[in-house]
Every structure is written in structure tokens, then in C-alpha cells.
């Protein structure tokens, strides 16, 4: 419940979803029943509230915030402290979804101890339920295993792993030849063996994703990986058509379906606001709700005059006069 009084000027939304919190157990049950798992990547309180109300299963606080929110060209620059800010904001807004926080580049590669320490912070300071880490190199498999052994749920991530663009040579799909396709499946299996409860498959051909999904006992979450995964994930801003990633400056990612054109709505609203402020039509009487009684107005005007602010008193008096004229006009129109 909000601690803001009901009659205050500002107030947050009321409690969102009354449904039970999604847990690792409920996700596993859903997977066993063959029900698709819904995941959305989001980065702040308002988007988390929307996910909560929509009943999305999992909210991933992704390091893609570096690009979508902070405007970088890659995911690499975002720091752990910045990620924790996003995690906390999402945790305040999403009460139903399972919350998963990305480990940002540079926060877990040095050692298993560093990986565990970072994962602990994401849960304790970020309010997350689990963490996600990228890649399937031996050191990252070891890191995933260590984090699981520390009692923290881990989601793996194979295929296109944006943190590895230095090695991959850019944002390139994976699994498009025999060796690469086999590597995707083998890496997913290794992450399962390390104790991951789920694996994201990003930008791989549908047959490769289907093979990995069939080979694994844990759910796969696809993004640009076809319809044969255990679930799907898209970025909040992408699926709403809010903006474009810097590395897709001219087009939306090929795998993304836009379920709305919210960016167009936002642009239209901002232009209308600018025009109304410029023309003086906003704010009108309907959006100027706070009044001062006639007696207090007179006293206020006298006080202004007493302290030598005659010009200010005249300005206030003119506003009162215009308000009276407007109300009189409205009254006359209502009786016609």
C-alpha cells in the first residue's frame, strides 16, 4: 500500500495483480504441462507495473538497458550499480512475475567468487529472484555452477550473446552452420548440467532451437529463435513500437513483432502539448483546479500592495477577473 495520503496531489497506482507470485516451482510446473512461458525485458517501475497487470510470467531486467535506456551502441558499458538501480525500480512495480536480473559485462568473468558476489548483490540489493548470465565458455559454465551452489537460481543464455560481440564480430545470428548449430545445443546442455533452470536461445535458426528444446529438460526461452521454444521473450520497448535500438537505426530487429505503435502516439501527444502550451490553450480552467477564496484573494492583494508589489497585485487581480468572466460565460451558456 502507498504511504501517500488519498487526497494528496500526487499518488501512485493501486496494488496491481492479486495473483500469486510466479516462482521457480510454478515455472517448472508450467513447463511440464507444456504451457508456453511469457517473458518481457523491462527496465523501470512503469513498465514493470504494465507487465504485472498483463500477467506476464517473467520480467527480465536486461543489460540491454545500456542500449534501450542509456543510448549506448552495445550492452557493454552498463555497470553493476546502474543495473541495480533498474532492478530495484522493476521490483517495486512487478509483484507477480518472477524477476530475473542480468549480470552485466565485467561483473562475473574474473572468478567464480566474483560471479557469486555479483549474483548475491543482484538478489539482496536489486530485489531479484534469479540472475541471468551469458555464454557457455568453460569459465562461465563454472561461474553458473558456483552461483547455483550458492543457492541462487540461474538462467543461461546461448546463441547470439551481445556481451561477446568482440569475439562474434558484431550482432550476428548463431547456429547457421553445422559446427555452430551443434555448439548451441552442446552449450545449452552444459548450462543445464551446471544447474541452470532455463536457457535463453537468441537469434538461432528454428530447427536448432527445436533441437535444443528437445534435448533439454529445462525450459528454453526464445528470442529470434522460432516458435518451438518453451517460451518467448521480447523487449518492452520493441514489442510496443516505442523506439529503435541504436544498432538497428533504420529497422526494427527482424525477429520482433510490434504489437503497437506507441512511439507514434507519444510523438503525437508531445507535439500537441507543445502546440497547446505555445498557443496558451493549456492549461485551461479544467487543469487549473486550485482556488483561493474571495476573502483571501482580497487580503492577498492588500498584502502585495503593502510590501510594494503593486504590479504583482495587478497581475493577480487580472487573473481573478478573467476567472469570474469565464465562469459567468459558462453559466450563461448552460442556461441557453
Amino acid at each position: 500500500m502507498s504511504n501517500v495520503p488519498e487526497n494528496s496531489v500526487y499518488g501512485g497506482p493501486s496494488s496491481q495483480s492479486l495473483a500469486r507470485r510466479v516462482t521457480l516451482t510454478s515455472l517448472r510446473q508450467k513447463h511440464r504441462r507444456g504451457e508456453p512461458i511469457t517473458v518481457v525485458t523491462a527496465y523501470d517501475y512503469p513498465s514493470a507495473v504494465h507487465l504485472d497487470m498483463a500477467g506476464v510470467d517473467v520480467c527480465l531486467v536486461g543489460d540491454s538497458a545500456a542500449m534501450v535506456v542509456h543510448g549506448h551502441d552495445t550492452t557493454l558499458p552498463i555497470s553493476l550499480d546502474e543495473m541495480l538501480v533498474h532492478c530495484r525500480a522493476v521490483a517495486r512495480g512487478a509483484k507477480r512475475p518472477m524477476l530475473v536480473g542480468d549480470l552485466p559485462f565485467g561483473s562475473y568473468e574474473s572468478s567464480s567468487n566474483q560471479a557469486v558476489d555479483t549474483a548475491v548483490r543482484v538478489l539482496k540489493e536489486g530485489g531479484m529472484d534469479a540472475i541471468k548470465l551469458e555464454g557457455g565458455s568453460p569459465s562461465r559454465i563454472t561461474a553458473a555452477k558456483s552461483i547455483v551452489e550458492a543457492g541462487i537460481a540461474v538462467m543461461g543464455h546461448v546463441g547470439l550473446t551481445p556481451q561477446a560481440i568482440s569475439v562474434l564480430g558484431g550482432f550476428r545470428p548463431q547456429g547457421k552452420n553445422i559446427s555452430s548449430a551443434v555448439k548451441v545445443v552442446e552449450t545449452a546442455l552444459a548450462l543445464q548440467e551446471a544447474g541452470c533452470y532455463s536457457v535463453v536461445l537468441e537469434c538461432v535458426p528454428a530447427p536448432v532451437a527445436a533441437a535444443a528444446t528437445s534435448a533439454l529438460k529445462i525450459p528454453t526461452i526464445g528470442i529470434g529463435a522460432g516458435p518451438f521454444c518453451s517460451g518467448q521473450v521480447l523487449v518492452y520497448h520493441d514489442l510496443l513500437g516505442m523506439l529503435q535500438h541504436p544498432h538497428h537505426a533504420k529497422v526494427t530487429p527482424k525477429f520482433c513483432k510490434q504489437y503497437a505503435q506507441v512511439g507514434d502516439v507519444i510523438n503525437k501527444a508531445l507535439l500537441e502539448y507543445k502546440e497547446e502550451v505555445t498557443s496558451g490553450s493549456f492549461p485551461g480552467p479544467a487543469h487549473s483546479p486550485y482556488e483561493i477564496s474571495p476573502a483571501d484573494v482580497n487580503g492577498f492583494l492588500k498584502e502585495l500592495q503593502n510590501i510594494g508589489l503593486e504590479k504583482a497585485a495587478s497581475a493577480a487581480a487580472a487573473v481573478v477577473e478573467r476567472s469570474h468572466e469565464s465562469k459567468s460565460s459558462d453559466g450563461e451558456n448552460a442556461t441557453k
Side-chain angles (χ1 to χ4, degrees):
M1 295 295 290
S2 171
N3 60 0
V4 179
E6 291 183 2
N7 62 347
S8 67
V9 176
Y10 300 106
S14 59
S15 180
Q16 290 87 49
S17 174
L18 298 178
R20 294 177 62 183
R21 184 66 175 259
V22 177
T23 64
L24 200 54
T25 298
S26 58
L27 278 184
R28 285 169 174 157
Q29 291 171 344
K30 194 167 191 176
H31 179 235
R32 281 198 294 270
R33 294 192 298 266
E35 299 175 7
I37 297 168
T38 55
V39 186
V40 174
T41 299
Y43 315 104
D44 58 22
Y45 176 81
S47 57
V49 171
H50 285 298
L51 266 61
D52 201 62
M53 296 174 70
V56 171
D57 295 319
V58 179
C59 178
L60 170 63
V61 185
D63 62 351
S64 49
M67 303 175 72
V68 179
V69 178
H70 297 274
H72 295 294
D73 291 333
T74 73
T75 64
L76 303 185
I78 197 165
S79 69
L80 176 58
D81 286 336
E82 288 172 321
M83 283 297 300
L84 290 173
V85 171
H86 289 292
C87 288
R88 287 192 289 267
V90 167
R92 286 190 285 267
K95 304 304 180 185
R96 179 189 179 276
M98 183 174 182
L99 304 179
V100 182
D102 251 339
L103 300 192
F105 180 71
S107 70
Y108 63 100
E109 296 89 345
S110 295
S111 67
S112 292
N113 287 339
Q114 184 200 30
V116 172
D117 289 345
T118 299
V120 168
R121 289 191 66 189
V122 171
L123 266 65
K124 291 186 69 173
E125 300 177 36
M128 297 289 100
D129 302 312
I131 65 93
K132 181 175 79 65
L133 55 75
E134 288 187 12
S137 65
S139 62
R140 298 197 182 197
I141 298 293
T142 301
K145 189 173 187 295
S146 297
I147 294 170
V148 172
E149 289 176 350
I152 298 171
V154 176
M155 175 182 280
H157 184 160
V158 300
L160 169 57
T161 48
Q163 290 180 9
I165 59 169
S166 177
V167 175
L168 298 178
F171 295 97
R172 299 180 182 278
Q174 301 298 301
K176 296 183 69 175
N177 57 50
I178 296 172
S179 62
S180 180
V182 171
K183 183 179 178 181
V184 168
V185 177
E186 289 180 340
T187 302
L189 284 167
L191 287 166
Q192 175 180 262
E193 183 65 24
C196 291
Y197 74 89
S198 178
V199 175
V200 171
L201 303 175
E202 181 169 358
C203 293
V204 300
V208 178
T213 301
S214 176
L216 294 171
K217 297 178 181 178
I218 59 176
T220 58
I221 306 299
I223 178 166
F228 305 109
C229 298
S230 312
Q232 299 291 329
V233 58
L234 284 177
V235 172
Y236 178 86
H237 297 69
D238 285 347
L239 72 89
L240 292 178
M242 289 183 70
L243 49 76
Q244 298 168 340
H245 284 293
H247 64 285
H248 293 291
K250 296 182 180 179
V251 296
T252 310
K254 292 179 180 179
F255 56 76
C256 180
K257 178 178 179 179
Q258 292 186 331
Y259 290 83
Q261 297 294 328
V262 174
D264 292 341
V265 176
I266 292 172
N267 290 337
K268 182 174 181 294
L270 289 171
L271 285 171
E272 289 183 4
Y273 165 72
K274 175 189 172 185
E275 290 169 0
E276 288 194 3
V277 170
T278 302
S279 68
S281 60
F282 176 84
H287 297 99
S288 303
Y290 310 113
E291 297 183 353
I292 182 171
S293 70
D296 284 336
V297 166
N298 291 332
F300 175 53
L301 297 179
K302 289 179 181 178
E303 287 297 324
L304 289 175
Q305 292 169 345
N306 290 340
I307 59 178
L309 297 176
E310 287 83 2
K311 187 176 180 180
S314 297
V319 170
V320 172
E321 182 63 26
R322 282 201 298 269
S323 177
H324 288 162
E325 291 175 356
S326 176
K327 289 179 180 179
S328 298
S329 176
D330 292 341
E332 291 174 3
N333 292 333
T335 58
K336 290 182 180 178

